[in-house]
Structures are given as structure tokens and as C-alpha cells.
Amino acid sequence: MSSEIEEAQDSNGTDAAQIISRTNDHSVTLGDDEIRHLNDAVCSLPSHAVKDLHSAGVCIRCIFRLFGIHDHAYFRSTLSPSVMCNILGEGDSSSSESNESELKPEVCRICLGILQFTYRDEKEMLVKRKNGDELAASIAELLRQEGHQIDGFSLEVSIPPIIFENEQAVRLYMKKKYGSEIWFQDRFSECISTKDALKFAIVNPLETILDVKSGPSSVRVRLTYTETKPSIKPSKSVDRNGGLKRRKTETNNGLDTVHVELVGNGTGCCNLSLGQGSPSSGRSSTGLAELESSECFNFPLERVNEPCHLVFVYYRAPMYFGGRYLKFSRNVSQTRWIIDDERMGEASIEEIIGGNILPMCQGESYKFHAAGREDIDVRMLGSGRPFLVEVQNARKVPSEALIKEIETRMNNLEGKLVGVKNLSLVTSHSWDLMREGEAEKQKQYCALVWISRPLEDEDLQCIASHKDLQILQRTPVRVLHRRSPLERGKMIHWMKTEQITGSSQYFLLHLCTQAGTYIKEFVHGDLGRTHPSIGSILRCRAEILQLDVTDVKMDCFLAE
């Protein structure tokens, strides 16, 4: 789009401009209201200050935001060099198109090209967009190429700190030169940050193109700008008196050059402190008096030869799938278990469940979490053990029907190693619920036990009589290589036995315990490291041959 600005004079003699927008193949048509609002905004600017800023290498959009202009029109317009000349009263509309080819705008010395929509891409190619709409269109196209399914998005922008420093240097210069003029306090105190101005420029067109609203969302669009060539900070200077030095010189272009340096104790520049103003705040503070005494800045700013480097990142916050798993094999670990490049067991629950969920979401990776774990040779039966699969950067949000289809597919896998119940898409809050319930849960087991003498009726009654039995367990010998040597108090809530027909030394032990109890050690005593134990209670040698978890008493992911 090309735009022409016709000069005008208001009743106070202030330069004004009338925006007349025309469209071409790459244009965005501005509405009458937008044209009128932008025209009014331009008319209200002090032309001598605008010329001052422009001659110092500040782009027109930065000039507008420094004066607090919010209109979308100046982001949607091309704002070509000829338009800038007309705003400044340095050209006329009839010569604007001929001037277009002669004028080559330099990279803005404040925003480093960000609000000129010029940047270096990941391939170090120079990219120039005419306006915010074009930049939004390119972002949306890359988002579509990534294949993200979205129902909203949040925009995140990261910019180099030097931009904030440049802006404050300009504001300090303007305060020194124009602080006594009436318009300064009314207009220059409403400065919009570069980051917010960029968001202001592209959020609305992104919403239109993607047909979704921006706001808190699991889908994040992040724009990270970095300096192509990092700026060299001002060198430290020494003041024998220690304190703030100011000197003022005249440059060839008529601009006052202001040098403000904080010296003394060899500290150089201090951190910027402007009350509510900060690099991340929406509006800059008016605390320029504090700036004068706390920062070192030079003006005019150095010429910028290269715009910022821009990286687009699209990612979704982790997506969680919850459910309960069952393990039917005594040769399947909970997570992938590799020792010296050799797999332990024939498979893992993590790989079976996560490996089926990940392709469904078209995610990048996944993490498997469960409410506790069982040994590789222990089956998980009954209602199953609660688990979560955390999928990173999922591109698709699966429907309930597809999730049920995946659950059925896992339950019908050849070999029937693992089963899944109540698989569903859950919120991140489920992670907290699972972790909170894990410490308080009770677990039920069934163990096949052998003792060194025949089992008697008195033994059955003795075992069943123990209710809420408190035991002490030192860290088992079998896990001492990976766990701290501690003594833990645990509770055996109840026990009962089930005799096996035709055998006097084998029986089934059913028991309910506090979470974290070592069941194998509770049976055989672990060389006295667990006391009391089944062996000490029966006063004989006891060994555990097989163990099953029959219930994990937690409310997570139970069928409704």
C-alpha cells in the first residue's frame, strides 16, 4: 500500500497531515475511522520534535509510540519514506512516488528494525515486511506449516535490553531539550514500550487470520529478537570528584549531544530504576530525573547497520493424559531399563503407553509419571495404578473418541503385557492430585509365601490378629546401592492368609499396607533389617516367591 499525506495547518499553527490511503496488490485498506484517527494523531504531534527524532535515526512508528499513539492504522500502513517526508512537511503528495525509489530508510536506532518489520531470519536472510499485517501473515503461515491445531494463542515477545536503554537515552535527550514545552508532559509521558507496540501491531491480524482469540492459552507463539551484532557498552570514565558528569556539545546536524555518565568507585553504569517503568512494563515511567542520576547514555545513538535476528517458536504447554495401568507380566519394567546397553525385561509400561499416545497427539516427546512403582517381577492387578503421560509440544488435541480408540488398541496388543483403564485428557492439576494422594495411599498385595515348617491353625490366627501393626524398616540391602540408608516406620493395616490345597508350607498372604512399605522384606526380614516380619512373627524362616499388587487405593482416574 502506498499512502500520501497532505500538509495542513491547524488554528495554532501546528503542522497537520491528512492520510489518504490507496491500495495495491500488497496493501491493507484502511477504514475511514482509521484514516481519521491517524490523521488526528499526526496533527497533534509537535513537528519540530518529530523532525528532531527522525533526523536522529528514529523510525516513524517509534516516534508515534513515544508520543503514546495507539492507532492500529500506523501499524497496518506501509509508512514508506515518502510518507515520513510528508509528515515532516518535507515533500508533497505529487512527488511522493518519485521519492519512494530515492529514499532508503535506515534501521531504527531505537527498535533496531523491530517496528519496521525488518529482521534477519534463521538462515541469516534479510526479511522486510511492509506492515504488521504482513508480519502476522508470515507468522500464521509458519504456524500452519508446523501443523498446530489451535483454539487460541498467547503471544510472547523477547527483545534485546539495548532497545530499552536506547529508548531511555532518547527520552532523556527529549526531556533536556523540550521538557519546558507544554506538550512534553502531556504527550511524552504516555510512551508505549517496543514490546507492547509489536504485540499491538500483530495480535489483531493474527486473530483474524487464525480465526481464534488471543489470551491465556496452551499454545504459545514466541518471537525472540536478538542483536545481530551486540552493542558495545559505553566505556567507564573517572571523575576525581566522584559523581555525575554531564557535557553538552553541538553536532553538525544541529542536534544537542548529551552525554550522561555515572562515575566514581569504578562502578560504571548502574541498573535502570524508574519506579514502575521497566523493560517489561507496558508504559515507560516518567521518572527521568532518576534516570539522569543513575544511568550513562549517549545521544545521538550510534547508527545501526543490521536489524535484529528473529526466531519464531511455536509450542504448546504440556498436555496430560491420565489413567490407570495394569501389568500382567513378570518381565516388564515400569520405565525403560537399560544396563550396559542391555535391556532388562521384554518391554516397559512407559514405552507401551507413551509410544501409543505420542503419535496420536503428534507431539515431540513425552514423560511418564506414576503413583509409585512395582518391581519388574511384580504384577499390577485390580483397579490398576494411576499414571500420567506428559506430552511435549503436541500439535493435535485428540477427541474423546480417538482417545478411547487408542485405549482399546493398547488393551488388544499381542502378548497382553499391559492394560489401560479410564484413559482421558486431563489438566495439569491432576499432577498435583496424584502427588498429594501418593503419600497417603494404601496398597493391597497378594504374596506367595514359603515357610521352613508346616503351617498350623495357630499361625493363621496369629497373622490375622495383627491390626495396624507398626514396623521399622531399614533401607533394604537390595536397593542400598541407589537409596540412602535410612530407617522408616511403616504401617501394616491388616493381614490374612489363604491356604493352598495340598501344601503345608506354602500359603497366600493378603495384606494392606501404608504406601512405601517394602513387602518382600516384610516377609523374609532382610537379615533383621525389617522388624517385625512374617518370619519373626511365625518364628521360622519365611521366603516370598511371587508378589502381586491387587489394589492402589487412590481416587485418581477411577471410572465415574
Side-chain angles (χ1 to χ4, degrees):
M1 173 185 62
S2 63
S3 300
E4 298 176 355
I5 299 181
E6 299 178 353
E7 291 185 67
Q9 295 282 336
D10 63 14
S11 58
N12 296 321
T14 304
D15 288 349
Q18 180 180 7
I19 308 299
I20 304 175
S21 298
R22 298 183 310 194
T23 62
N24 56 31
D25 293 341
H26 305 285
S27 70
V28 176
T29 304
L30 300 182
D32 291 340
D33 287 343
E34 290 175 306
I35 293 174
R36 184 174 63 256
H37 291 159
L38 183 54
N39 178 54
D40 292 342
V42 172
C43 289
S44 67
L45 299 182
S47 62
H48 59 298
V50 172
K51 291 178 183 179
D52 199 349
L53 289 171
H54 184 248
S55 62
V58 181
C59 73
I60 184 60
R61 291 190 180 91
C62 275
I63 293 173
F64 283 172
R65 72 177 181 83
L66 286 172
F67 283 97
I69 296 179
H70 289 77
D71 299 85
H72 281 92
Y74 77 86
F75 288 115
R76 300 183 68 205
S77 357
T78 302
L79 292 184
S80 61
S82 58
V83 171
M84 185 67 243
C85 287
N86 287 331
I87 289 177
L88 300 175
E90 297 174 354
D92 55 58
S93 59
S94 61
S95 61
S96 60
E97 294 192 13
S98 61
N99 290 338
E100 189 79 24
S101 60
E102 299 174 2
L103 295 169
K104 295 182 178 179
E106 63 180 49
V107 178
C108 176
R109 300 187 189 187
I110 295 184
C111 71
L112 309 186
I114 292 177
L115 296 183
Q116 295 169 303
F117 309 114
T118 300
Y119 57 89
R120 291 278 180 186
D121 64 13
E122 291 180 323
K123 298 180 180 179
E124 298 301 330
M125 299 294 291
L126 182 63
V127 179
K128 296 182 179 181
R129 305 297 180 189
K130 292 183 178 181
N131 47 47
D133 288 43
E134 284 195 4
L135 179 59
S138 64
I139 293 171
E141 179 59 29
L142 289 173
L143 187 60
R144 286 169 174 162
Q145 289 175 9
E146 289 285 325
H148 283 282
Q149 173 190 343
I150 64 175
D151 55 7
F153 70 93
S154 63
L155 180 65
E156 300 174 352
V157 178
S158 175
I159 62 176
I162 188 64
I163 291 177
F164 182 68
E165 297 173 12
N166 292 344
E167 177 183 308
Q168 298 307 320
V170 171
R171 296 184 69 225
L172 177 56
Y173 165 74
M174 295 294 284
K175 178 179 184 293
K176 284 183 169 293
K177 189 169 183 179
Y178 301 108
S180 61
E181 299 189 21
I182 297 176
W183 59 264
F184 184 84
Q185 290 299 329
D186 293 339
R187 297 301 305 271
F188 223 70
S189 61
E190 297 296 317
C191 174
I192 304 168
S193 72
T194 303
K195 185 182 297 187
D196 284 355
L198 181 65
K199 290 182 178 181
F200 193 69
I202 62 179
V203 164
N204 281 357
L206 269 177
E207 289 180 333
T208 301
I209 296 170
L210 299 174
D211 195 24
V212 295
K213 291 294 184 181
S214 66
S217 173
S218 61
V219 177
R220 319 285 173 80
V221 179
R222 185 171 183 82
L223 280 59
T224 302
Y225 288 91
T226 55
E227 287 183 85
T228 304
K229 296 180 181 178
S231 302
I232 300 175
K233 300 296 181 183
S235 59
K236 298 177 182 179
S237 60
V238 178
D239 179 13
R240 294 186 179 182
N241 297 323
L244 192 65
K245 296 196 307 182
R246 298 183 182 86
R247 56 191 175 88
K248 181 174 178 181
T249 60
E250 186 75 15
T251 60
N252 293 332
N253 61 5
L255 292 175
D256 291 332
T257 300
V258 179
H259 297 271
V260 181
E261 303 172 50
L262 180 66
V263 298
N265 301 323
T267 56
C269 296
C270 297
N271 289 331
L272 184 63
S273 177
L274 290 177
Q276 296 179 351
S278 69
S280 61
S281 67
R283 292 178 181 269
S284 301
S285 170
T286 57
L288 293 176
E290 298 176 33
L291 172 65
E292 293 183 53
S293 61
S294 65
E295 282 290 334
C296 58
F297 285 117
N298 292 329
F299 189 89
L301 302 172
E302 293 182 1
R303 183 183 180 90
V304 179
N305 296 318
E306 288 287 342
C308 284
H309 184 275
L310 174 59
V311 175
F312 298 99
V313 177
Y314 310 96
Y315 66 97
R316 185 187 296 275
M319 184 182 293
Y320 295 90
F321 293 85
R324 288 183 171 240
Y325 74 78
L326 297 96
K327 180 160 77 80
F328 307 114
S329 168
R330 300 192 188 276
N331 195 30
V332 172
S333 58
Q334 186 186 84
T335 56
R336 187 173 60 169
W337 189 8
I338 306 293
I339 299 178
D340 296 331
D341 297 327
E342 182 179 352
R343 173 185 284 275
M344 300 291 105
E346 58 183 308
S348 74
I349 298 167
E350 172 188 45
E351 292 169 298
I352 293 173
I353 297 179
N356 278 276
I357 290 178
L358 187 65
M360 173 179 67
C361 305
Q362 297 183 20
E364 292 182 355
S365 61
Y366 68 87
K367 296 179 182 178
F368 184 84
H369 312 279
R373 65 170 58 233
E374 63 284 325
D375 292 336
I376 190 172
D377 60 346
V378 176
R379 295 187 301 179
M380 179 66 240
L381 306 176
S383 60
R385 184 185 297 276
F387 73 88
L388 281 174
V389 175
E390 177 184 349
V391 179
Q392 307 293 328
N393 199 21
R395 287 164 173 77
K396 300 293 183 183
V397 180
S399 63
E400 290 186 14
L402 181 56
I403 293 172
K404 290 302 178 185
E405 180 183 329
I406 294 298
E407 178 180 320
T408 301
R409 183 188 306 170
M410 286 188 283
N411 288 332
N412 292 331
L413 289 173
E414 185 177 355
K416 195 63 174 179
L417 302 177
V418 173
V420 177
K421 289 184 175 181
N422 311 324
L423 184 65
S424 62
L425 182 62
V426 298
T427 66
S428 58
H429 183 55
S430 298
W431 167 264
D432 298 326
L433 292 176
M434 192 173 76
R435 282 288 169 256
E436 289 170 5
E438 184 178 356
E440 303 298 328
K441 70 177 181 290
Q442 294 181 8
K443 297 168 69 177
Q444 292 182 197
Y445 298 88
C446 179
L448 176 60
V449 179
W450 171 88
I451 58 175
S452 58
R453 61 171 176 79
L455 186 69
E456 301 177 356
D457 291 341
E458 292 81 0
D459 297 329
L460 303 180
Q461 296 174 5
C462 178
I463 291 174
S465 67
H466 287 86
K467 304 290 185 182
D468 293 331
L469 173 65
Q470 186 74 37
I471 66 173
L472 290 177
Q473 291 191 310
R474 294 165 64 188
T475 302
V477 172
R478 63 187 172 94
V479 297
L480 265 177
H481 65 286
R482 57 187 173 88
R483 293 195 178 174
S484 301
L486 301 174
E487 187 173 79
R488 302 170 178 86
K490 296 296 179 180
M491 181 76 71
I492 308 298
H493 296 290
W494 55 260
M495 294 184 290
K496 64 181 180 180
T497 56
E498 180 182 347
Q499 291 182 287
I500 297 177
T501 304
S503 175
S504 61
Q505 292 179 258
Y506 294 88
F507 65 92
L508 294 177
L509 175 66
H510 300 275
L511 67 166
C512 177
T513 74
Q514 180 184 350
T517 304
Y518 291 103
I519 304 302
K520 294 177 180 178
E521 283 67 28
F522 172 65
V523 172
H524 58 65
D526 196 26
L527 304 175
R529 297 173 68 85
T530 292
H531 186 81
S533 64
I534 293 296
S536 66
I537 291 172
L538 298 180
R539 298 182 180 181
C540 64
R541 180 185 168 194
E543 296 291 344
I544 185 168
L545 305 181
Q546 288 184 346
L547 179 64
D548 294 331
V549 183
T550 56
D551 196 11
V552 176
K553 293 187 175 296
M554 288 178 64
D555 294 334
C556 290
F557 318 132
L558 290 171
E560 296 181 359

